[in-house]
């Protein structure tokens, strides 16, 4: 992570409030060495926990009452507030705006038809657009209102259609720094016909799969990193083909993954380098 974006409508905030919001964001972000693809985020009221190779993990505060949760896989399933969040994200990630704010970056052109996953919980929404070129994603606070607050990221895929094995996690949000209510989304290869989150305590949550994309939400407050929750993939015969820690960054995977030419493209250098797998669209 190497750049902090201006908030989309900071000019509409009172100067004192805008200054305080910026101070909170900057003081809470952990800067790490830049990796590709670069992920930029400006998350109002959200603490950035980790950014690694196209994976974003964020935390937001749990509201006092249990919020309504919505998981949409594609534009045809959007609620009115998720529709608003998606449209805001498209405006924030427009090539004209991105080029103006970040001349050195390469924005990915996306449209509503590219919406892969949208997640809504309480007064916050997350939307993720994906196409053959790359991805664009946004965190939107108070969608469906006149208030404009949140942040976004956009970048081309670093290795095109190749994934680090059967699963590539792209977004991870949680209400606690190491668990709580969790939402996850990403890409899967053609081998994956079922994907579940194993909470590590006997409970599981099934992900929804659609067009090579997955999304899942869980409100299990017992979900903790200490229980070693894992994303588990199964093939068409129901055979387990992959198991990886939910909270593990992509550059910390147990195995490295190589492209068709045998060159390592994901993970740390090890003697046990596996074949990267194609994204199933």
């Amino acid at each position: 992570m190497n750049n902090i974006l201006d908030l989309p409508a900071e000019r509409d905030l009172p100067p004192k409030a805008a200054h305080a919001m910026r101070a909170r964001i900057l003081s809470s972000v952990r800067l790490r060495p830049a990796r590709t693809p670069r992920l930029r985020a400006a998350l109002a009221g959200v603490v950035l926990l980790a950014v690694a190779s196209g994976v974003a993990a964020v935390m937001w505060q749990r509201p006092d009452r249990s919020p309504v949760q919505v998981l949409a896989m594609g534009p045809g399933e959007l609620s009115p507030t998720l529709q608003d969040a998606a449209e805001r994200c498209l405006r924030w990630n427009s090539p004209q705006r991105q080029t103006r704010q970040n001349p050195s970056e390469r924005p990915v052109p996306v449209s509503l038809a590219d919406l892969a996953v949208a997640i809504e919980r309480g007064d916050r929404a997350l939307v993720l657009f994906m196409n053959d070129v790359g991805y664009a994603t946004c965190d939107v606070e108070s969608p469906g209102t006149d208030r404009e607050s949140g942040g976004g990221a956009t970048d081309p895929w670093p290795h095109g259609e190749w994934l680090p094995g059967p699963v590539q996690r792209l977004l991870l949000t949680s209400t606690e720094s190491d668990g709580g209510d969790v939402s996850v989304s990403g890409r899967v290869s053609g081998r994956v016909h079922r994907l579940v989150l194993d909470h590590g305590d006997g409970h599981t949550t099934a992900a929804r799969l659609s067009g090579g994309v997955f999304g899942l939400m869980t409100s299990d407050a017992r979900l903790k990193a200490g229980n070693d929750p894992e994303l588990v993939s199964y093939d068409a015969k129901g055979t387990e083909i992959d198991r990886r820690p939910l909270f593990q960054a992509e550059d910390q995977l147990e195995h490295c993954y190589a492209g068709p030419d045998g060159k390592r493209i994901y993970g740390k250098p090890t003697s046990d380098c596996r074949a990267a797998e194609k994204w199933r669209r």
Side-chain angles (χ1 to χ4, degrees), residues 149-175:
S149 184
T154 178
D155 233 335
W157 301 120
H159 306 295
E161 61 187 350
W162 297 105
L163 311 181
V167 176
Q168 183 176 43
R169 192 195 74 190
L170 292 173
L171 287 172
L172 167 63
T173 68
S174 63
T175 54

PDB file of all heavy atoms in Angstrom, residues 149-175:
ATOM      1  N   SER A 149     -19.206   9.287   1.759  1.00  0.00           N
ATOM      2  CA  SER A 149     -18.024   8.980   2.551  1.00  0.00           C
ATOM      3  C   SER A 149     -17.599   7.555   2.247  1.00  0.00           C
ATOM      4  O   SER A 149     -18.427   6.663   2.092  1.00  0.00           O
ATOM      5  CB  SER A 149     -18.335   9.134   4.044  1.00  0.00           C
ATOM      6  OG  SER A 149     -17.177   8.934   4.815  1.00  0.00           O
ATOM      7  N   GLY A 150     -16.302   7.330   2.156  1.00  0.00           N
ATOM      8  CA  GLY A 150     -15.804   5.989   1.879  1.00  0.00           C
ATOM      9  C   GLY A 150     -14.496   6.062   1.118  1.00  0.00           C
ATOM     10  O   GLY A 150     -13.791   7.064   1.165  1.00  0.00           O
ATOM     11  N   GLY A 151     -14.167   5.001   0.431  1.00  0.00           N
ATOM     12  CA  GLY A 151     -12.920   4.963  -0.316  1.00  0.00           C
ATOM     13  C   GLY A 151     -12.945   3.841  -1.326  1.00  0.00           C
ATOM     14  O   GLY A 151     -13.885   3.039  -1.361  1.00  0.00           O
ATOM     15  N   GLY A 152     -11.906   3.789  -2.167  1.00  0.00           N
ATOM     16  CA  GLY A 152     -11.898   2.779  -3.205  1.00  0.00           C
ATOM     17  C   GLY A 152     -10.510   2.403  -3.645  1.00  0.00           C
ATOM     18  O   GLY A 152      -9.521   3.017  -3.256  1.00  0.00           O
ATOM     19  N   ALA A 153     -10.434   1.376  -4.462  1.00  0.00           N
ATOM     20  CA  ALA A 153      -9.178   0.892  -5.011  1.00  0.00           C
ATOM     21  C   ALA A 153      -9.438   0.312  -6.388  1.00  0.00           C
ATOM     22  O   ALA A 153     -10.530  -0.204  -6.658  1.00  0.00           O
ATOM     23  CB  ALA A 153      -8.570  -0.178  -4.105  1.00  0.00           C
ATOM     24  N   THR A 154      -8.455   0.408  -7.265  1.00  0.00           N
ATOM     25  CA  THR A 154      -8.569  -0.172  -8.595  1.00  0.00           C
ATOM     26  C   THR A 154      -7.183  -0.517  -9.111  1.00  0.00           C
ATOM     27  O   THR A 154      -6.234   0.234  -8.889  1.00  0.00           O
ATOM     28  CB  THR A 154      -9.271   0.800  -9.568  1.00  0.00           C
ATOM     29  OG1 THR A 154      -9.328   0.227 -10.873  1.00  0.00           O
ATOM     30  CG2 THR A 154      -8.544   2.131  -9.647  1.00  0.00           C
ATOM     31  N   ASP A 155      -7.048  -1.654  -9.780  1.00  0.00           N
ATOM     32  CA  ASP A 155      -5.755  -2.061 -10.335  1.00  0.00           C
ATOM     33  C   ASP A 155      -5.954  -3.232 -11.298  1.00  0.00           C
ATOM     34  O   ASP A 155      -6.873  -4.038 -11.115  1.00  0.00           O
ATOM     35  CB  ASP A 155      -4.804  -2.511  -9.230  1.00  0.00           C
ATOM     36  CG  ASP A 155      -3.468  -1.791  -9.286  1.00  0.00           C
ATOM     37  OD1 ASP A 155      -3.080  -1.334 -10.380  1.00  0.00           O
ATOM     38  OD2 ASP A 155      -2.807  -1.685  -8.246  1.00  0.00           O
ATOM     39  N   PRO A 156      -5.099  -3.350 -12.302  1.00  0.00           N
ATOM     40  CA  PRO A 156      -5.143  -4.520 -13.183  1.00  0.00           C
ATOM     41  C   PRO A 156      -4.691  -5.768 -12.428  1.00  0.00           C
ATOM     42  O   PRO A 156      -3.952  -5.680 -11.442  1.00  0.00           O
ATOM     43  CB  PRO A 156      -4.154  -4.169 -14.301  1.00  0.00           C
ATOM     44  CG  PRO A 156      -3.957  -2.686 -14.203  1.00  0.00           C
ATOM     45  CD  PRO A 156      -4.116  -2.354 -12.766  1.00  0.00           C
ATOM     46  N   TRP A 157      -5.124  -6.942 -12.923  1.00  0.00           N
ATOM     47  CA  TRP A 157      -4.636  -8.191 -12.342  1.00  0.00           C
ATOM     48  C   TRP A 157      -3.127  -8.305 -12.590  1.00  0.00           C
ATOM     49  O   TRP A 157      -2.669  -8.044 -13.700  1.00  0.00           O
ATOM     50  CB  TRP A 157      -5.332  -9.399 -12.982  1.00  0.00           C
ATOM     51  CG  TRP A 157      -6.814  -9.439 -12.844  1.00  0.00           C
ATOM     52  CD1 TRP A 157      -7.720  -9.448 -13.859  1.00  0.00           C
ATOM     53  CD2 TRP A 157      -7.568  -9.479 -11.630  1.00  0.00           C
ATOM     54  NE1 TRP A 157      -9.002  -9.477 -13.355  1.00  0.00           N
ATOM     55  CE2 TRP A 157      -8.932  -9.503 -11.991  1.00  0.00           C
ATOM     56  CE3 TRP A 157      -7.234  -9.480 -10.277  1.00  0.00           C
ATOM     57  CZ2 TRP A 157      -9.955  -9.533 -11.042  1.00  0.00           C
ATOM     58  CZ3 TRP A 157      -8.247  -9.508  -9.335  1.00  0.00           C
ATOM     59  CH2 TRP A 157      -9.592  -9.541  -9.725  1.00  0.00           C
ATOM     60  N   PRO A 158      -2.357  -8.722 -11.589  1.00  0.00           N
ATOM     61  CA  PRO A 158      -0.907  -8.825 -11.801  1.00  0.00           C
ATOM     62  C   PRO A 158      -0.529 -10.004 -12.681  1.00  0.00           C
ATOM     63  O   PRO A 158       0.489  -9.969 -13.369  1.00  0.00           O
ATOM     64  CB  PRO A 158      -0.359  -9.004 -10.387  1.00  0.00           C
ATOM     65  CG  PRO A 158      -1.477  -9.661  -9.639  1.00  0.00           C
ATOM     66  CD  PRO A 158      -2.743  -9.079 -10.224  1.00  0.00           C
ATOM     67  N   HIS A 159      -1.370 -11.060 -12.666  1.00  0.00           N
ATOM     68  CA  HIS A 159      -1.051 -12.258 -13.442  1.00  0.00           C
ATOM     69  C   HIS A 159      -2.261 -12.736 -14.253  1.00  0.00           C
ATOM     70  O   HIS A 159      -2.446 -13.938 -14.459  1.00  0.00           O
ATOM     71  CB  HIS A 159      -0.553 -13.373 -12.512  1.00  0.00           C
ATOM     72  CG  HIS A 159       0.596 -12.940 -11.637  1.00  0.00           C
ATOM     73  ND1 HIS A 159       1.819 -12.593 -12.150  1.00  0.00           N
ATOM     74  CD2 HIS A 159       0.674 -12.775 -10.291  1.00  0.00           C
ATOM     75  CE1 HIS A 159       2.630 -12.245 -11.144  1.00  0.00           C
ATOM     76  NE2 HIS A 159       1.964 -12.332 -10.025  1.00  0.00           N
ATOM     77  N   GLY A 160      -3.076 -11.785 -14.669  1.00  0.00           N
ATOM     78  CA  GLY A 160      -4.210 -12.109 -15.524  1.00  0.00           C
ATOM     79  C   GLY A 160      -5.161 -13.111 -14.903  1.00  0.00           C
ATOM     80  O   GLY A 160      -5.634 -12.936 -13.787  1.00  0.00           O
ATOM     81  N   GLU A 161      -5.419 -14.198 -15.623  1.00  0.00           N
ATOM     82  CA  GLU A 161      -6.402 -15.189 -15.192  1.00  0.00           C
ATOM     83  C   GLU A 161      -5.831 -16.214 -14.226  1.00  0.00           C
ATOM     84  O   GLU A 161      -6.560 -17.100 -13.761  1.00  0.00           O
ATOM     85  CB  GLU A 161      -6.961 -15.921 -16.413  1.00  0.00           C
ATOM     86  CG  GLU A 161      -5.900 -16.681 -17.202  1.00  0.00           C
ATOM     87  CD  GLU A 161      -6.433 -17.254 -18.494  1.00  0.00           C
ATOM     88  OE1 GLU A 161      -7.667 -17.232 -18.692  1.00  0.00           O
ATOM     89  OE2 GLU A 161      -5.631 -17.717 -19.316  1.00  0.00           O
ATOM     90  N   TRP A 162      -4.540 -16.120 -13.896  1.00  0.00           N
ATOM     91  CA  TRP A 162      -3.919 -17.134 -13.047  1.00  0.00           C
ATOM     92  C   TRP A 162      -4.100 -16.819 -11.567  1.00  0.00           C
ATOM     93  O   TRP A 162      -3.858 -15.702 -11.118  1.00  0.00           O
ATOM     94  CB  TRP A 162      -2.434 -17.280 -13.380  1.00  0.00           C
ATOM     95  CG  TRP A 162      -2.226 -17.763 -14.781  1.00  0.00           C
ATOM     96  CD1 TRP A 162      -1.809 -17.034 -15.852  1.00  0.00           C
ATOM     97  CD2 TRP A 162      -2.468 -19.090 -15.273  1.00  0.00           C
ATOM     98  NE1 TRP A 162      -1.770 -17.816 -16.986  1.00  0.00           N
ATOM     99  CE2 TRP A 162      -2.171 -19.081 -16.659  1.00  0.00           C
ATOM    100  CE3 TRP A 162      -2.889 -20.278 -14.679  1.00  0.00           C
ATOM    101  CZ2 TRP A 162      -2.291 -20.217 -17.450  1.00  0.00           C
ATOM    102  CZ3 TRP A 162      -3.027 -21.406 -15.467  1.00  0.00           C
ATOM    103  CH2 TRP A 162      -2.731 -21.376 -16.830  1.00  0.00           C
ATOM    104  N   LEU A 163      -4.519 -17.835 -10.818  1.00  0.00           N
ATOM    105  CA  LEU A 163      -4.793 -17.710  -9.385  1.00  0.00           C
ATOM    106  C   LEU A 163      -3.773 -18.503  -8.579  1.00  0.00           C
ATOM    107  O   LEU A 163      -3.176 -19.461  -9.074  1.00  0.00           O
ATOM    108  CB  LEU A 163      -6.191 -18.242  -9.056  1.00  0.00           C
ATOM    109  CG  LEU A 163      -7.372 -17.765  -9.895  1.00  0.00           C
ATOM    110  CD1 LEU A 163      -8.658 -18.412  -9.378  1.00  0.00           C
ATOM    111  CD2 LEU A 163      -7.476 -16.266  -9.877  1.00  0.00           C
ATOM    112  N   PRO A 164      -3.594 -18.152  -7.310  1.00  0.00           N
ATOM    113  CA  PRO A 164      -2.727 -18.943  -6.431  1.00  0.00           C
ATOM    114  C   PRO A 164      -3.450 -20.208  -5.959  1.00  0.00           C
ATOM    115  O   PRO A 164      -3.893 -20.315  -4.817  1.00  0.00           O
ATOM    116  CB  PRO A 164      -2.442 -17.985  -5.267  1.00  0.00           C
ATOM    117  CG  PRO A 164      -3.664 -17.129  -5.198  1.00  0.00           C
ATOM    118  CD  PRO A 164      -4.116 -16.950  -6.632  1.00  0.00           C
ATOM    119  N   GLY A 165      -3.600 -21.155  -6.872  1.00  0.00           N
ATOM    120  CA  GLY A 165      -4.345 -22.370  -6.561  1.00  0.00           C
ATOM    121  C   GLY A 165      -5.816 -22.203  -6.861  1.00  0.00           C
ATOM    122  O   GLY A 165      -6.212 -21.374  -7.694  1.00  0.00           O
ATOM    123  N   PRO A 166      -6.682 -22.955  -6.188  1.00  0.00           N
ATOM    124  CA  PRO A 166      -8.109 -22.916  -6.499  1.00  0.00           C
ATOM    125  C   PRO A 166      -8.820 -21.635  -6.079  1.00  0.00           C
ATOM    126  O   PRO A 166      -9.878 -21.314  -6.612  1.00  0.00           O
ATOM    127  CB  PRO A 166      -8.678 -24.113  -5.709  1.00  0.00           C
ATOM    128  CG  PRO A 166      -7.495 -24.952  -5.345  1.00  0.00           C
ATOM    129  CD  PRO A 166      -6.354 -24.014  -5.212  1.00  0.00           C
ATOM    130  N   VAL A 167      -8.247 -20.892  -5.111  1.00  0.00           N
ATOM    131  CA  VAL A 167      -8.950 -19.756  -4.515  1.00  0.00           C
ATOM    132  C   VAL A 167      -8.025 -18.546  -4.418  1.00  0.00           C
ATOM    133  O   VAL A 167      -6.846 -18.686  -4.090  1.00  0.00           O
ATOM    134  CB  VAL A 167      -9.470 -20.107  -3.101  1.00  0.00           C
ATOM    135  CG1 VAL A 167     -10.110 -18.890  -2.445  1.00  0.00           C
ATOM    136  CG2 VAL A 167     -10.460 -21.244  -3.160  1.00  0.00           C
ATOM    137  N   GLN A 168      -8.579 -17.374  -4.707  1.00  0.00           N
ATOM    138  CA  GLN A 168      -7.875 -16.129  -4.433  1.00  0.00           C
ATOM    139  C   GLN A 168      -8.810 -15.211  -3.663  1.00  0.00           C
ATOM    140  O   GLN A 168      -9.820 -14.742  -4.177  1.00  0.00           O
ATOM    141  CB  GLN A 168      -7.418 -15.438  -5.716  1.00  0.00           C
ATOM    142  CG  GLN A 168      -6.606 -14.173  -5.445  1.00  0.00           C
ATOM    143  CD  GLN A 168      -6.075 -13.538  -6.708  1.00  0.00           C
ATOM    144  OE1 GLN A 168      -6.782 -13.432  -7.711  1.00  0.00           O
ATOM    145  NE2 GLN A 168      -4.824 -13.110  -6.680  1.00  0.00           N
ATOM    146  N   ARG A 169      -8.474 -14.959  -2.412  1.00  0.00           N
ATOM    147  CA  ARG A 169      -9.262 -14.053  -1.582  1.00  0.00           C
ATOM    148  C   ARG A 169      -8.920 -12.622  -1.953  1.00  0.00           C
ATOM    149  O   ARG A 169      -7.754 -12.247  -2.031  1.00  0.00           O
ATOM    150  CB  ARG A 169      -8.929 -14.296  -0.106  1.00  0.00           C
ATOM    151  CG  ARG A 169      -9.878 -13.641   0.866  1.00  0.00           C
ATOM    152  CD  ARG A 169      -9.274 -13.625   2.266  1.00  0.00           C
ATOM    153  NE  ARG A 169      -8.213 -12.635   2.363  1.00  0.00           N
ATOM    154  CZ  ARG A 169      -7.376 -12.537   3.412  1.00  0.00           C
ATOM    155  NH1 ARG A 169      -7.459 -13.397   4.396  1.00  0.00           N
ATOM    156  NH2 ARG A 169      -6.441 -11.598   3.434  1.00  0.00           N
ATOM    157  N   LEU A 170      -9.959 -11.783  -2.179  1.00  0.00           N
ATOM    158  CA  LEU A 170      -9.735 -10.398  -2.567  1.00  0.00           C
ATOM    159  C   LEU A 170     -10.157  -9.412  -1.487  1.00  0.00           C
ATOM    160  O   LEU A 170      -9.501  -8.402  -1.281  1.00  0.00           O
ATOM    161  CB  LEU A 170     -10.488 -10.084  -3.864  1.00  0.00           C
ATOM    162  CG  LEU A 170      -9.962 -10.789  -5.115  1.00  0.00           C
ATOM    163  CD1 LEU A 170     -10.894 -10.535  -6.290  1.00  0.00           C
ATOM    164  CD2 LEU A 170      -8.552 -10.345  -5.448  1.00  0.00           C
ATOM    165  N   LEU A 171     -11.264  -9.676  -0.819  1.00  0.00           N
ATOM    166  CA  LEU A 171     -11.743  -8.791   0.233  1.00  0.00           C
ATOM    167  C   LEU A 171     -12.076  -9.585   1.483  1.00  0.00           C
ATOM    168  O   LEU A 171     -12.686 -10.648   1.408  1.00  0.00           O
ATOM    169  CB  LEU A 171     -12.997  -8.037  -0.226  1.00  0.00           C
ATOM    170  CG  LEU A 171     -12.801  -6.923  -1.254  1.00  0.00           C
ATOM    171  CD1 LEU A 171     -14.158  -6.430  -1.734  1.00  0.00           C
ATOM    172  CD2 LEU A 171     -12.021  -5.777  -0.661  1.00  0.00           C
ATOM    173  N   LEU A 172     -11.677  -9.051   2.624  1.00  0.00           N
ATOM    174  CA  LEU A 172     -12.002  -9.652   3.916  1.00  0.00           C
ATOM    175  C   LEU A 172     -12.338  -8.528   4.876  1.00  0.00           C
ATOM    176  O   LEU A 172     -11.529  -7.622   5.087  1.00  0.00           O
ATOM    177  CB  LEU A 172     -10.818 -10.459   4.454  1.00  0.00           C
ATOM    178  CG  LEU A 172     -10.893 -10.899   5.928  1.00  0.00           C
ATOM    179  CD1 LEU A 172     -12.075 -11.841   6.138  1.00  0.00           C
ATOM    180  CD2 LEU A 172      -9.595 -11.546   6.352  1.00  0.00           C
ATOM    181  N   THR A 173     -13.536  -8.537   5.431  1.00  0.00           N
ATOM    182  CA  THR A 173     -13.913  -7.544   6.427  1.00  0.00           C
ATOM    183  C   THR A 173     -14.348  -8.265   7.694  1.00  0.00           C
ATOM    184  O   THR A 173     -14.872  -9.379   7.647  1.00  0.00           O
ATOM    185  CB  THR A 173     -15.067  -6.646   5.947  1.00  0.00           C
ATOM    186  OG1 THR A 173     -16.271  -7.421   5.852  1.00  0.00           O
ATOM    187  CG2 THR A 173     -14.752  -6.027   4.594  1.00  0.00           C
ATOM    188  N   SER A 174     -14.106  -7.621   8.830  1.00  0.00           N
ATOM    189  CA  SER A 174     -14.500  -8.219  10.099  1.00  0.00           C
ATOM    190  C   SER A 174     -14.817  -7.132  11.105  1.00  0.00           C
ATOM    191  O   SER A 174     -14.317  -6.005  11.004  1.00  0.00           O
ATOM    192  CB  SER A 174     -13.387  -9.121  10.648  1.00  0.00           C
ATOM    193  OG  SER A 174     -12.216  -8.376  10.920  1.00  0.00           O
ATOM    194  N   THR A 175     -15.663  -7.450  12.094  1.00  0.00           N
ATOM    195  CA  THR A 175     -16.030  -6.491  13.122  1.00  0.00           C
ATOM    196  C   THR A 175     -15.034  -6.487  14.263  1.00  0.00           C
ATOM    197  O   THR A 175     -15.094  -5.626  15.131  1.00  0.00           O
ATOM    198  CB  THR A 175     -17.434  -6.803  13.673  1.00  0.00           C
ATOM    199  OG1 THR A 175     -17.477  -8.164  14.101  1.00  0.00           O
ATOM    200  CG2 THR A 175     -18.495  -6.576  12.613  1.00  0.00           C
TER     201      THR A 175
END
